[in-house]
Amino acid sequence: MYISNFQERRKYNGIWVLCELREGQIVSVSLELLGAAAELAAKRPQAVTAIVLCDKFNDGILQALWACGADRVIAVEDSSLKYFNDEDQAAVLKRLIEKYSPEILLAGATAVGRSLIPRVAVMCHCGLTADCTRLDIENETGALLQTRPAFGGNLMATIRSDSFLPQIATVRPGVMNAVEPQTGRVGILIKEKMLLSEHMGLKKVIGELRSEGLSNYFGSASFIVAGGRGMKGPEGFKLLERFASKIGGVLGATRAAVDAGWAPYGIQIGQTGKTVQPRIYLACGISGQVQHLVGMQSSDMIIAINHDREAPIMSIADIAIVGDVFSVISSLLDALTPVA
Amino acid sequence: MKIVVCIKQVPGVSSVKIDPETKRLIRDGVISVINPFDYYALEEALRLRELHGGSVTVLSMGPQKAEQSIREALAFGADNAVLLCDKHFAGSDTWGTSYVLALAVRKIGDVDLVLCGKQAIDGDTAQVGPGIAAHMKDWPHAAGVSAINGIEDHMLSVNRMIDGGYDECLLTLPAVLSVIKEINEPRVARLKGWLKAEHSLIDIWDADQIGADVNLLGLNGSPTRVVKTTPPKSRDRKTTFFDGSEAESAGKLLYELRIISAI
């Protein structure tokens, strides 16, 4: 909504975080965003509200949201919210935004966030910045300064959109910090109804298939073990998968490996796959074409294993291991496996 | 089936360079290409036309030179093409862009399906597809579509990628889909197509012709504005090479990982 004067501006207050549930659990990026919202609220005092749209709400979720920084929880519980239906959820969100006038709305840059929030932003005539990696707030004006990588991470752009409220941003999983849960912290709970008119019947989600192999979606993964053409075949990926599960990491792949059929598309990292930013990125048998680098170069620490000392991946790595990737991974696995 | 495919002309990724001194994008010598994801949308549209009949219209907003990308799309076999070109469009963010595209879809008329690539590689927002659906008021959209299963009872059945897997949904038509690479393997344009595309007519529409309110467009009309660009945090550490035997390197790596309690 375009804000033309001070009177209108004053109506808007509070930071909202759209909290996603998966199998009844709050997804980690939502908790990270509550942490980020609490930090913003420390600079410009205002309440932090967690928004939950789900089919089954319970006390455990409520306590966890309060404990992780939500001063208020607005929950909409309805059986139609079991699956992800953009149109219905966008209609509810729009109604809630109009009713409560938040100054800021944050959501995770997940599949849900990146599909639902653009719809909401257009419906509310607001700005939207996708995939932010840094948030700041101007205390006097309330302007949210949203920083995101542009041009494949070659540039960081800082964006503001405070002439239209609320200011809306999706934030990359794994870059903000959740607060240490304060057990027993209590806030407000508001239950809102899903109104019948919001079931628009434009889309029906029939079912979901969350496959075992893809349940390791990157999300807030802190350790990613990725393989490329140098893994030579599906067997190579089995080896990486074993190593990844041993250290609690998740598996990733380059386009070349996916195209060869060694790994599913869901774990492809790079320009035509996903962009990730883990704490540690272990690149195994990956040469480092620019299309791959744009998807992972913002990782905190990059370790590369490659037989070619001159491979491009080596020059952006913090640690570059020159040698046979199979031998290195096998040695790592041996060292991590207790002798019986 | 009347299908519209939205394409965007983008700088080729390997040609994007940052001037080390000014920290600005070097635009000289940048090669323009069709956004890689859009080929999958175009291919899917052509396959739907082969199955159900109808037409495929390529739609793009951009400067005059975007015409070359549109001709490329025509060479693949699209029937019609529209270029949305007006100085008022320049500088629009995703709100304004999806507004303009939606108005054009309305002007084209009787459209059943709009297909977009998952996202453009220069902006990476993935916002324009869902934005078009929202501007069309009650059109549903599905993002991250990995398969179109068919049409049942006037509903389009698709699979889409969600976090950790896929779901299956039915959408009423008309609808907007943004598709991912998994959906198909794009064909190669044939010489005959290129020859035909060279002489195809491209409709060029401005703000007036689609009835756009220019106050909602461009840098001034857009809700978001870029206030600052900075180079990404440079890596302060240099690359440390482990050149010893594999077993030795593995041992050193474990040590490093334990120091930072990564394992």
Side-chain angles (χ1 to χ4, degrees), chain A residues 277-279 281 296-303 313 315-319, chain B residues 232-239:
Chain A
Q277 194 169 6
R279 191 162 159 234
Y281 190 88
M296 45 66 73
Q297 63 191 359
S298 310
S299 306
D300 289 349
M301 182 185 199
I302 296 169
I303 304 162
I313 191 87
S315 63
I316 70 153
D318 299 274
I319 295 176
Chain B
K233 226 181 0 186
S234 60
R235 311 192 142 270
D236 46 0
R237 279 162 296 169
K238 282 212 188 78
T239 304

Side-chain angles (χ1 to χ4, degrees), chain A residues 22 84 86-87 110-112 114-115 118-119 122 125-128 130 148 151 153-161 164 201-211 214 217 247 255 259 265-266 268 271-273 279-280 297 299-303 309 314-324 327-328 331-332 335-336, chain B residues 13-14 16 18 23 25 36-37 95 98 118-119 121-127 130-131 133-135 137-141 143 160-172 180-182 216 221 223-230 232 235 237-243 246-247 249-250 253-254 256-258 260 262-263:
Chain A
R22 200 157 301 140
F84 171 47
D86 302 75
E87 292 72 29
T110 58
V112 169
R114 283 169 65 95
S115 179
R119 194 170 182 105
V122 165
H125 200 168
C126 289
L128 168 59
R148 73 182 299 258
F151 295 98
N154 286 306
L155 209 59
M156 301 300 287
T158 301
I159 290 160
R160 62 190 283 172
S161 57
F164 295 74
L202 294 169
K203 181 157 66 200
K204 199 159 86 189
V205 183
I206 299 174
E208 287 178 354
L209 179 72
R210 294 192 198 266
S211 60
L214 284 175
Y217 87 101
I247 54 159
R255 174 178 175 166
D259 285 353
Y265 173 65
Q268 183 180 317
Q271 189 189 88
T272 50
R279 191 162 159 234
I280 299 170
Q297 63 191 359
S299 306
D300 289 349
M301 182 185 199
I302 296 169
I303 304 162
R309 203 175 202 280
M314 302 302 240
S315 63
I316 70 153
D318 299 274
I319 295 176
I321 299 176
V322 185
D324 177 55
S327 312
V328 176
S331 302
L332 288 169
L336 290 168
Chain B
V13 67
S14 37
V16 173
I18 307 293
K23 311 288 181 204
L25 279 183
F37 287 109
W95 197 99
S98 51
K118 173 193 166 206
Q119 64 195 55
I121 57 162
D122 53 351
D124 278 334
T125 71
Q127 283 164 202
H135 278 294
K137 304 299 176 206
D138 50 1
W139 286 28
H141 82 264
R160 71 181 164 168
M161 190 176 252
I162 51 173
D163 298 298
Y166 298 85
D167 68 6
E168 185 187 350
C169 28
L170 294 175
L171 292 88
T172 57
I180 56 176
K181 173 187 146 172
E182 213 172 61
L216 300 175
T224 60
R225 78 200 140 89
V226 177
V227 286
K228 194 173 72 176
T229 56
T230 47
R235 311 192 142 270
R237 279 162 296 169
K238 282 212 188 78
T239 304
T240 309
F241 280 92
F242 291 179
D243 280 305
E246 279 86 357
S249 297
L253 179 60
L254 277 182
E256 294 285 341
L257 292 176
R258 281 187 177 128
I260 58 168
I263 52 173

Side-chain angles (χ1 to χ4, degrees), chain B residues 28 58 94 194 198:
Chain B
D28 300 338
V58 178
T94 57
W194 284 106
E198 216 173 301

Side-chain angles (χ1 to χ4, degrees), chain B residues 10-71:
Chain B
V10 297
V13 67
S14 37
S15 61
V16 173
K17 296 258 155 43
I18 307 293
D19 186 312
E21 298 209 337
T22 63
K23 311 288 181 204
R24 283 169 178 259
L25 279 183
I26 304 172
R27 291 188 187 269
D28 300 338
V30 169
I31 309 153
S32 293
V33 296
I34 294 184
N35 176 45
F37 287 109
D38 300 347
Y39 286 101
Y40 304 99
L42 179 59
E43 174 65 30
E44 203 58 24
L46 297 173
R47 290 186 187 192
L48 285 171
R49 185 188 63 187
E50 282 153 16
L51 273 173
H52 303 283
S55 67
V56 174
T57 302
V58 178
L59 178 63
S60 188
M61 182 181 107
Q64 197 75 45
K65 76 170 177 136
E67 212 183 291
Q68 66 185 122
S69 291
I70 291 183
R71 288 214 188 273

Side-chain angles (χ1 to χ4, degrees), chain A residues 29-273:
Chain A
V29 65
S30 302
L31 298 177
E32 291 158 21
L33 286 178
L34 285 174
E39 258 180 58
L40 295 173
K43 286 189 185 161
R44 179 174 160 93
Q46 55 191 320
V48 173
T49 302
I51 307 294
V52 185
L53 312 175
C54 66
D55 64 326
K56 285 193 190 83
F57 190 73
N58 62 44
D59 206 47
I61 299 167
L62 179 65
Q63 304 290 344
L65 292 171
W66 281 342
C68 289
D71 302 308
R72 183 172 72 167
V73 175
I74 299 179
V76 183
E77 190 179 7
D78 193 282
S79 60
S80 69
L81 294 168
K82 178 166 198 270
Y83 295 125
F84 171 47
N85 191 320
D86 302 75
E87 292 72 29
D88 292 356
Q89 295 199 11
V92 186
L93 267 177
K94 178 172 187 265
R95 176 169 55 84
L96 295 179
I97 286 168
E98 283 167 356
K99 181 170 175 183
Y100 294 96
S101 307
E103 190 171 37
I104 292 169
L105 167 64
L106 305 176
T110 58
V112 169
R114 283 169 65 95
S115 179
L116 169 66
I117 301 300
R119 194 170 182 105
V120 174
V122 165
M123 287 163 70
C124 297
H125 200 168
C126 289
L128 168 59
T129 304
D131 255 337
C132 296
T133 53
R134 221 173 83 83
L135 296 173
D136 203 352
I137 195 164
E138 271 184 13
N139 183 18
E140 324 74 60
T141 61
L144 182 68
L145 303 175
Q146 309 149 53
T147 302
R148 73 182 299 258
F151 295 98
N154 286 306
L155 209 59
M156 301 300 287
T158 301
I159 290 160
R160 62 190 283 172
S161 57
D162 54 318
S163 308
F164 295 74
L165 293 177
Q167 306 164 79
I168 310 182
T170 62
V171 178
R172 244 184 222 179
V175 297
M176 303 290 166
N177 296 315
V179 296
E180 199 59 47
Q182 278 179 267
T183 320
R185 186 174 177 274
V186 176
I188 296 167
L189 169 66
I190 299 175
K191 285 211 166 189
E192 284 279 348
K193 284 205 164 51
M194 175 103 189
L195 301 180
L196 269 177
S197 58
E198 287 160 355
H199 296 271
M200 298 193 294
L202 294 169
K203 181 157 66 200
K204 199 159 86 189
V205 183
I206 299 174
E208 287 178 354
L209 179 72
R210 294 192 198 266
S211 60
E212 206 43 51
L214 284 175
S215 60
N216 55 359
Y217 87 101
F218 300 116
S220 306
S222 66
F223 201 139
I224 291 176
V225 180
R229 214 192 295 271
M231 295 317 295
K232 296 188 177 144
E235 291 307 312
F237 274 83
K238 291 239 170 66
L239 180 71
L240 291 186
E241 200 166 5
R242 256 172 45 219
F243 178 65
S245 68
K246 185 117 239 158
I247 54 159
V250 301
L251 190 63
T254 63
R255 174 178 175 166
V258 170
D259 285 353
W262 305 343
Y265 173 65
I267 68 168
Q268 183 180 317
I269 294 164
Q271 189 189 88
T272 50

